[in-house]
Amino acid sequence: MPNVNGMKAALIGSAIAALGVITAPLYVDLFQLMQLTVFAAMAILALSLGFIWGYGGILCFGQTSFFGLGAYAYAIAAINFGDSTPALLIAILVPVIFAALLGYFMIYGGISDVYLGVITLTVSLILLNLVNSTAGDFYKIGKARLGGFNGIPGVPTINMPGNPGYILSPEQAWVLTGLALIAVYLGLRALIASTFGRVIIAIRENETRAALLGYDPRIYKLLTFMIGGAVAGFAGALYVNWGAFVSPTIFALGLSAQIIIWVIIGGRGTLIGPIIGCLLVQWMVTEIGAQQTLDANFILGAVLIGFVLLVPKGIAPTVRDFVASRLSRTKNATAIEDVKP
């Protein structure tokens, strides 16, 4: 019953959020709408790590690997096909294949969680240096020049499916990205509520016990890793669509750290938490950058330390526990009053 009620609440909240997304262009100016678009794309990236770390127990320091691969795959495919529909599919497929190969060697190779995090971070840095060294006309895939440290400019943005000549306006791109965030959230929530979701949570809590019950932890962890890669790749495609540009900095260490900070601040073990953490941090960094008086990294580090010390569970779990505690006290007080003579 709690799961059913929780899913109903999520559907109602998502419906309200979808209404807000659709009507936002009516009362938000274009500049703010563009900011919201990139925030929503980043929130999808936060969900990818929130899922594999919070529910699968896999701490991936290199989630930017899949984010960047999805972004570059979309840019290259969009330039070559001239249509965003197959490009979006390729942007999801490439990170999934990469996550399957990387995850297979790590998970089936018995790599511990700590070393898994180090390896994924190293892979992200390798991709950064690899793509950074592709300057020159020789480095191209089809019509797309990789551009090295200059990146790939002029990436075709998302068009109406089946009609490459109909390019989405910034308002339509915002609606697409906002609704995509809601859809990914609901999809992951439904997956967690399924048998697969219960198994990966059981493996996170006690891998040995889950194995004794007949489940192979390796295949479940690999599938979780691949799903996280798919979501991150999709976020990368939406991010490129926002700026029509992609460069090797998308694999940078700073972004890898930010993703982890989003999840820690928002709250591990929830899906709404990474979204809240991402939106809060991105808004804060944007505001600090606009003022040009304080160092954004210094403030971000101070905020992270404060949350780790004072709100270790993160925003969403802390609020949830507080509300549950208040409701429990109210019910107990009502029950005591009922039994009084």
Side-chain angles (χ1 to χ4, degrees), residues 35 38-43 45-46 239 242 254-255 258-259 261-262 265 274-289 300:
Q35 280 191 319
V38 71
F39 288 177
M42 290 299 193
L45 175 60
Y239 176 79
W242 167 74
L255 181 57
Q258 276 194 44
I259 304 170
I261 292 172
W262 296 341
I265 289 178
I275 296 176
I276 294 173
C278 173
L279 297 179
L280 180 63
V281 171
Q282 288 299 102
W283 171 81
M284 182 184 67
V285 169
T286 301
E287 290 297 315
I288 294 173
L300 191 59

Side-chain angles (χ1 to χ4, degrees), residues 3-298:
N3 288 337
V4 174
N5 292 335
M7 197 62 191
K8 286 182 179 179
L11 289 172
I12 294 172
S14 297
I16 296 172
L19 181 62
V21 167
I22 294 171
T23 58
L26 300 176
Y27 51 85
V28 176
D29 62 58
L30 184 59
F31 176 75
Q32 291 178 326
L33 208 62
M34 294 290 286
Q35 280 191 319
L36 290 174
T37 302
V38 71
F39 288 177
M42 290 299 193
I44 296 176
L45 175 60
L47 276 176
S48 70
L49 182 62
F51 175 69
I52 66 172
W53 186 21
Y55 293 92
I58 304 171
L59 176 54
C60 177
F61 278 104
Q63 200 67 7
T64 50
S65 299
F66 313 113
F67 182 62
L69 284 173
Y72 267 91
Y74 172 83
I76 293 168
I79 291 172
N80 281 283
F81 289 111
D83 188 350
S84 66
T85 304
L88 281 171
L89 297 176
I90 292 172
I92 296 172
L93 183 61
V94 169
V96 166
I97 295 174
F98 186 75
L101 294 173
L102 180 62
Y104 175 81
F105 288 109
M106 292 191 302
I107 295 171
Y108 279 82
I111 302 296
S112 65
D113 292 340
V114 174
Y115 288 107
L116 189 147
V118 173
I119 290 173
T120 53
L121 178 60
T122 304
V123 168
S124 183
L125 295 177
I126 290 173
L127 289 173
L128 169 64
N129 289 299
L130 179 64
V131 179
N132 213 24
S133 60
T134 57
D137 295 339
F138 178 77
Y139 296 99
K140 63 179 182 178
I141 300 176
K143 302 175 186 177
R145 301 178 188 275
L146 298 182
F149 54 84
N150 291 318
I152 304 177
V155 178
T157 53
I158 295 178
N159 57 260
M160 193 67 68
N163 187 2
Y166 190 118
I167 305 298
L168 298 188
S169 66
E171 292 82 3
Q172 291 171 325
W174 150 249
V175 172
L176 172 66
T177 309
L179 293 181
L181 171 59
I182 296 170
V184 170
Y185 167 77
L186 289 176
L188 291 178
R189 190 177 178 96
L191 185 63
I192 292 167
S194 67
T195 302
F196 176 85
R198 291 194 290 271
V199 172
I200 64 172
I201 293 173
I203 292 171
R204 179 198 66 189
E205 295 298 321
N206 194 315
E207 188 171 325
T208 302
R209 185 174 296 177
L212 291 173
L213 291 173
Y215 299 104
D216 185 354
R218 297 174 300 178
I219 186 62
Y220 281 93
K221 292 175 78 171
L222 179 59
L223 290 174
T224 302
F225 195 62
M226 291 169 62
I227 293 170
V231 174
F234 180 53
L238 294 175
Y239 176 79
V240 174
N241 176 70
W242 167 74
F245 172 77
V246 61
S247 71
T249 56
I250 201 168
F251 297 103
L253 178 61
L255 181 57
S256 297
Q258 276 194 44
I259 304 170
I260 296 173
I261 292 172
W262 296 341
V263 178
I264 291 175
I265 289 178
R268 252 185 73 194
T270 68
L271 289 178
I272 194 65
I275 296 176
I276 294 173
C278 173
L279 297 179
L280 180 63
V281 171
Q282 288 299 102
W283 171 81
M284 182 184 67
V285 169
T286 301
E287 290 297 315
I288 294 173
Q291 295 175 3
Q292 297 182 347
T293 55
L294 298 172
D295 184 81
N297 291 327
F298 174 78

